[in-house]
Structure formats: structure tokens, C-alpha cells
Amino acid sequence: MRIIQGSVNSPLGFMASGVACGQKKNGDLDLAMVASDRPATAAGVFTQNVIKGHGLQLTRQYIRGKLARAVVINSGNANACIGEDGMKDAIEMAAAAAARIDCPAEQIMIGSTGVIGQRLNMPAIKRGIDLAFAALDETATGAENAERAILTTDLVSKACAVEIDLDGCRVTVGGMAKGSGMIHPNMATMIGVITTDCAIDQPLLDQILRQAVNKTFNRVSVDGDTSVCDMVIAMANGAAGNTSIEEGSTQAAILLEAFETVSTELARMIARDGEGATKLIEVVATGAKSSEDAYKIVLAVAKSPLVKTAIFGEDANWGRILTAAGYSGADFDPEDIDIYLGDLMVCAKGCALDFDEALAKKILQEQDIVIRIVLNEGNASDRIWTCDFSYDYVKINGSYRS
């Protein structure tokens, strides 16, 4: 497997574009289109929030057909909690894109992200779809514009691509994502699109996508909130010409690794770009009695405001980490637990150590920080990515609508 410079239009047969249609007040790009030149096998995972945006509801319905020609995503407006008009607008978006691409409307997946409770400006959206179709491009420019067009409070675009060899064929997996705030496992304020030119049946694509998402996008937490428009859509169009891969095969394992690699890179980018973040934090728990215990601990530590603010302040306050593990609901003996900041042990067997405070400060000044929690009770482990809480997080979210 080779990581390459690329994005959603790196696999054969895919194109992308991003345009400005007026959903964002500042005039930035706000409508993206990712299209395949042929019907692609499609799979998706969606937010577990009971409240769901209208475009997401429609996409969940359409993806049951197992085929897609395009994903259309607008930013600046979530098209959520509008009632019948919201669903009507989502249907109209899909129909407008289908008319341009010349495919059934049910093969258009719709995504929206932004402010909740405001109706879409449909004349502007329709103009944007026309512009996006005309601008579809296989080059880096098309991908970069699509990546920018889906951003909300994000500061940077997020993309990754890899190449693998299957049956003598070069197969590419590419992806783009957005997400900066309202990020938490079980999906969050993030939208991802993963494309591949691999030939694969829908049930296996669905299985691979879910496995990859569970280890990656569902292991990111910025602030503990989950939103209403979150989804990851995968499309596989078979343009690479490989023999369709089968469940349990070596080829399936290789493709899963490619999906996990792309998803991991995108997930880390989301955590690093958390609203107001200055540091990327990886929380790792090892030696747990069960996978569930390890997950509970990393989740509790990752979403603790006290841990996150301590990391921002470069304060080696390991007691906050121990406390979060203690209320996580995990089963462990407090007298067995060790805690590390990077390679520096700061707590042994649940008790304080006379560690080097200057060295701890130096570790916490880095942009990438690993918190390691060793339970010494079993063989299970887990990890999650998060970020620190800075003053800017409050500023960003105190004036989101304005």
C-alpha cells in the first residue's frame, strides 16, 4: 500500500468540484459534488442522534438501492428541523443533480452541514448544482475545491488517498472529510466521502466501511457533542478492472487496510483541527480486562474538559486523567493503574511519582501528545483522538450563527 497525494477524485472514473452558491455569508465555496462516470456500489454510515437532517434522511432512504452516481453536499445550512419543506428541498436537490448527471434521483446522495433550523435557498442551491456539474474535474483543483466547499468552522481541508495492488490491478482509495466541532463517537459534525475504483459487491463494501469507521471516525472526540447531519458515504465503481473481491479473501483484507488508512488520516486531521485546538491528543488504554473497559476509559479521558484544559495549559495534572478513568464505568483496580505522558511515567500503581516537571512541561509543549493509561489487568486495548480546549473554543461557539 502506498499513500499518495490525492483525494476523492484520485480513483479512476471519479470527478469532483466545489462552487459558491450563497449559502455562506462570506461568499466562500459552499457546494461540493463528487461524481462517478458510471453507477457505483454505495454504502453509508449515519449519525446515531435521534434528530436527523432532511438530506441525511433522504440519503438513508436512497442508499438502500445500493447504487450511487454522485454525492452533493452543501455547507452553511444543515437543512435540519424544517419539517416537510426540508425534505422537499432535499428531494429537489437530488432531482436537480440527477437531471444534470442523467441518472435516477435515487442515485444521488445528499449531505448538508451548517446552521440548524434555517431553510435552504433553493434557487441558489440549484444554480450551485448547475455550476458544480459544469466544473467537475479529475485534477487536484476539482478535489481541492470540493474539500473547501464542505467546510464550516474547519480551518483546513482534509483529504487522503492510497494505492493498493489487487490481482495485478492498481486500485485507489481516496477520501475527503469535514469536521471541527460537535465531534464525538457514533458520528459527529463530520461528513466524509470515500471513493474507490475497486470492484466489490455492496454487502462487503458496507462491511468494510463499517469496520473502518468504527476504528477511526468513531474514535474521535472534540467536545462530546454529536450532530444531526453526520455521515460517511463510500462509492466503489469498479473502474480499476479487478475481479470483484470476496468476503474473507486476502484482497478484502488489503482493501480494509486501505479504507482504515484513509479513514485514520482523515480522523486525525479532524481531531487536530478541532475548534480552537492547539494540540492533537491520542489517548491510549492498554492492559484492560475487556475491550469495553478500554473504550470506556479512553472515551472518558478524551471528553473530560479538565483533562483537555490541562493539556492546553501544559499542566501535567495527571490526577484529572486518573479521575476520568475512575468515573468511566470501566472495571479496574485503582492500585494497578499506571499513567504516562508521552514516555514519562507520572503515576504508578495509582499513586503519585516524583517525576521531572520540566520534562513533563516540555512534552506538553509538543503539538502531538500521547496519554497512555496502563491498567495491568488484561490484554484489551483501545485508543481515541481528541484535542485540547482553548479560549478560542468558547469564542467560536459563542457566536456560531453570526
Side-chain angles (χ1 to χ4, degrees):
M1 185 172 60
R2 300 169 296 280
I3 296 178
I4 62 173
Q5 284 289 114
S7 185
V8 286
N9 61 353
S10 296
L12 295 174
F14 284 97
M15 300 164 285
S17 63
V19 299
C21 68
Q23 294 300 302
K24 290 180 179 175
K25 297 177 182 178
N26 60 7
D28 282 352
L29 303 182
D30 54 15
L31 190 139
M33 183 179 290
V34 178
S36 171
D37 64 4
R38 68 201 74 187
T41 301
V45 291
F46 304 93
T47 183
Q48 293 188 22
N49 196 317
V50 173
I51 310 300
K52 293 176 170 61
H54 302 294
L56 184 144
Q57 293 179 46
L58 184 69
T59 297
R60 288 181 73 197
Q61 175 184 329
Y62 281 178
I63 209 164
R64 292 172 189 155
K66 302 180 180 180
L67 292 176
R69 282 293 302 277
V71 181
V72 178
I73 303 165
N74 75 275
S75 59
N77 187 321
N79 187 22
C81 306
I82 306 298
E84 292 181 3
D85 287 337
M87 181 57 72
K88 175 184 174 183
D89 291 344
I91 292 171
E92 200 170 337
M93 281 182 69
R100 281 295 191 176
I101 294 172
D102 191 21
C103 70
E106 292 78 10
Q107 292 182 11
I108 306 295
M109 307 296 116
I110 299 296
S112 297
T113 180
V115 176
I116 292 170
Q118 296 180 2
R119 191 170 182 187
L120 290 170
N121 179 342
M122 285 309 296
I125 289 285
K126 286 183 176 181
R127 287 196 301 273
I129 288 172
D130 289 344
L131 291 171
F133 175 77
L136 283 172
D137 191 351
E138 297 177 350
T139 71
T141 299
E144 290 165 3
N145 287 340
E147 294 155 21
R148 286 175 51 206
I150 64 176
L151 304 183
T152 50
T153 57
D154 310 60
L155 297 180
V156 298
S157 301
K158 302 164 183 71
C160 181
V162 300
E163 288 181 350
I164 55 177
D165 294 316
L166 295 179
D167 293 329
C169 298
R170 185 180 68 182
V171 170
T172 305
V173 178
M176 70 175 189
K178 62 83 52 180
S180 185
M182 296 186 80
I183 304 292
H184 198 56
N186 300 325
M187 307 308 297
T189 304
M190 56 151 293
I191 293 178
V193 180
I194 299 176
T195 58
T196 181
D197 45 22
C198 182
I200 181 173
D201 289 338
Q202 199 277 340
L204 183 55
L205 177 65
D206 183 78
Q207 177 183 317
I208 285 175
L209 176 65
R210 291 177 186 278
Q211 287 181 269
V213 165
N214 191 49
K215 290 184 176 181
T216 58
F217 293 119
N218 277 343
R219 289 298 185 273
V220 180
S221 180
V222 168
D223 48 21
D225 274 318
T226 58
S227 187
V228 303
C229 298
D230 322 327
M231 65 182 187
V232 178
I233 301 296
M235 293 193 294
N237 67 9
N242 64 293
T243 302
S244 185
I245 63 177
E246 297 181 358
E247 183 178 355
S249 65
T250 300
Q251 289 79 13
I254 293 171
L255 185 63
L256 173 59
E257 183 182 2
F259 266 64
E260 288 181 348
T261 298
V262 170
S263 300
T264 294
E265 290 301 308
L266 294 175
R268 286 174 57 87
M269 291 177 192
I270 288 170
R272 188 184 298 280
D273 194 28
E275 289 174 340
T278 67
K279 303 176 191 299
L280 172 66
I281 306 167
E282 183 173 8
V283 183
V284 180
T286 62
K289 292 179 182 177
S290 69
S291 297
E292 182 181 3
D293 288 330
Y295 177 68
K296 287 178 178 179
I297 286 174
V298 296
L299 191 64
V301 173
K303 70 179 184 180
S304 165
L306 291 179
V307 172
K308 292 156 74 69
T309 50
I311 299 299
F312 171 68
E314 298 168 0
D315 177 12
N317 193 343
W318 58 268
R320 294 181 175 182
I321 300 169
L322 183 63
T323 301
Y327 65 63
S328 68
D331 179 18
F332 69 96
D333 187 340
E335 294 184 1
D336 288 338
I337 190 170
D338 302 328
I339 298 174
Y340 294 79
L341 297 177
D343 293 327
L344 178 65
M345 180 182 279
V346 294
C347 169
K349 304 303 179 184
C351 294
L353 286 177
D354 185 18
F355 60 87
D356 187 335
E357 290 278 0
L359 178 56
K361 178 79 170 179
K362 184 177 180 181
I363 291 169
L364 295 180
Q365 287 174 340
E366 299 292 330
Q367 291 187 340
D368 289 24
I369 296 164
V370 178
I371 296 173
R372 189 156 54 95
I373 302 153
V374 184
L375 299 164
N376 296 301
E377 297 193 345
N379 298 315
S381 63
D382 209 332
R383 60 99 175 87
I384 195 169
W385 298 290
T386 186
C387 59
D388 57 341
F389 266 166
S390 72
Y391 310 122
D392 286 340
Y393 179 84
V394 176
K395 292 178 183 178
I396 291 167
N397 285 285
S399 59
Y400 183 74
R401 292 198 306 162
S402 58

